[in-house]
Amino acid sequence: MLRITSESAEETDDLLAVEEPLEIRVAWRANGELREKPISVTMRTPGDDFDLAAGFLFTEAVIGSGAEIESIRQWGSPNVVRVSLAEGASIDASKLDRHFYTTSSCGVCGKTSIDAVRVIRCGVPGPSTRISQALVNRLPELLGERQSAFRATGGLHGAALFRPNGELLRVREDIGRHNAVDKAIGSLVREEPESLAGAILMVSSRASFELAQKAIVAGIGVLASVGAPSTLAVDAAREFGLTLLGFVRDGRFNVYAGEVERNLP
C-alpha cells in the first residue's frame, strides 16, 4: 500500500482485518429422518467459528441451550460449519425459513419483518444485575487491554463478558459486532452456560437492536457500549429488564434503561 502524510509518500505493508464468509448449517432428526439445512451466511473474521455458530443459533432462539448441540465441525470447507443437534432436540423448522443473510455491518439484514427479528422469548424480566459506576468506568479499559487484533489492524470489534463482580469471562473479536457478541456468548453456551445469567456485556460498538436482542435472549443483565444505542434497543431493554448503557468512555456514560449504583460524593 501507499502511505501518504503531509511530508511524504511511502510504499509499505499493512495488517488488515480478514473478512470471509461462513455458512452455518444445521442437521437434526425429525420422525426418524435426518434433515439438514443451511441457515446463515455471515461475513466474519475466521477464528472461534464453532463459538460463532453456537452463539448464533442460541441468540436467534433456534436452540434453547448448548445441551441441544451434539457436535460442531467444519463441513467440506474451512468456511462451512455444520451443527448437528442432539437426539430428541426440538427445532422449529419455520425459523429456518427466514433465510438468514448477515453482513459484517448488520446482524439483521435480510429478515423480512420485525416479527422475524424479535425472537426474544423472555416473557418476564429477570432480576436486575447490580453494577457500580466504578465498574462501568473500567469496562472500556478491560475490553481494550484484550483487543490484540484491533490494536494490530484497527478493524475489528470486540465483545467481553464479565461476571457481576467484574471478573472477566470471555473476550472475542470479529469484523462484525454481532459476530463478536455471538462468539463470546457461544463460548459460554458450549462451556459454561450457567455464567450467562446476569452477566455484563461490553462492546466496542454502538448498541443496536440485534445486540440488545442477543443479550436479552442469553439472559445477560447489562449491555454497555462505547457508542450510542438505537431507539429500538432502548425499547427492548426497558421492556425486558436489560440495563443498557451507552457512550461508556472517558469516565462517563449514559443510562438508557435500568440503574447504576452511583459513587458517593
Side-chain angles (χ1 to χ4, degrees):
M1 73 162 196
L2 182 66
R3 177 175 288 136
I4 298 176
T5 68
S6 58
E7 292 83 22
S8 66
E10 177 187 11
E11 287 284 352
T12 185
D13 294 328
D14 195 14
L15 290 174
L16 301 178
V18 178
E19 182 177 25
E20 294 182 359
L22 178 71
E23 178 182 302
I24 300 174
R25 306 180 66 88
V26 174
W28 73 102
R29 289 194 173 275
N31 300 320
E33 177 185 350
L34 180 63
R35 300 183 182 182
E36 182 173 336
K37 189 167 187 177
I39 66 168
S40 173
V41 175
T42 183
M43 301 303 295
R44 97 306 189 191
T45 302
D48 303 305
D49 287 340
F50 292 179
D51 291 342
L52 173 56
F56 177 83
L57 293 179
F58 181 70
T59 61
E60 292 291 340
V62 176
I63 61 172
S65 72
E68 296 181 24
I69 297 175
E70 179 180 79
S71 65
I72 306 178
R73 64 187 70 181
Q74 290 179 331
W75 201 248
S77 163
N79 290 333
V80 179
V81 166
R82 182 181 189 260
V83 181
S84 180
L85 300 186
E87 187 72 30
S90 175
I91 188 169
D92 182 354
S94 66
K95 290 180 178 177
L96 305 185
D97 292 331
R98 286 184 283 171
H99 304 296
F100 290 111
Y101 178 83
T102 56
T103 70
S104 58
S105 62
C106 175
V108 295
C109 300
K111 296 181 182 178
T112 57
S113 70
I114 194 66
D115 290 335
V117 175
R118 287 183 66 93
V119 299
I120 297 169
R121 51 199 170 90
C122 314
V124 179
S128 299
T129 297
R130 299 173 68 86
I131 187 170
S132 68
Q133 180 179 346
L135 177 55
V136 174
N137 287 333
R138 290 178 55 217
L139 293 177
E141 180 182 0
L142 293 173
L143 172 59
E145 288 174 349
R146 293 161 177 85
Q147 283 190 262
S148 57
F150 173 78
R151 289 194 298 273
T153 66
L156 296 182
H157 288 294
L161 284 165
F162 302 87
R163 297 188 194 277
N165 64 5
E167 177 188 351
L168 178 68
L169 288 165
R170 294 290 189 278
V171 176
R172 294 291 186 268
E173 293 182 275
D174 197 273
I175 200 164
R177 62 184 182 272
H178 58 287
N179 287 339
V181 169
D182 277 341
K183 285 179 176 181
I185 291 175
S187 176
L188 289 183
V189 166
R190 297 175 64 209
E191 302 168 8
E192 200 177 336
E194 68 279 358
S195 297
L196 278 170
I200 297 164
L201 172 61
M202 176 71 201
V203 297
S204 64
S205 63
R206 62 187 175 89
S208 53
F209 170 74
E210 73 267 22
L211 297 194
Q213 167 201 296
K214 290 177 183 297
I216 292 166
V217 171
I220 288 168
V222 178
L223 170 58
S225 67
V226 299
S230 68
T231 56
L232 199 55
V234 173
D235 290 344
R238 291 176 177 174
E239 179 178 351
F240 292 100
L242 174 70
T243 296
L244 179 60
L245 313 175
F247 298 105
V248 183
R249 57 180 187 259
D250 303 323
R252 62 179 177 83
F253 57 90
N254 296 342
V255 182
Y256 294 92
E259 297 182 357
V260 170
E261 295 179 353
R262 297 181 58 190
N263 299 340
L264 295 176

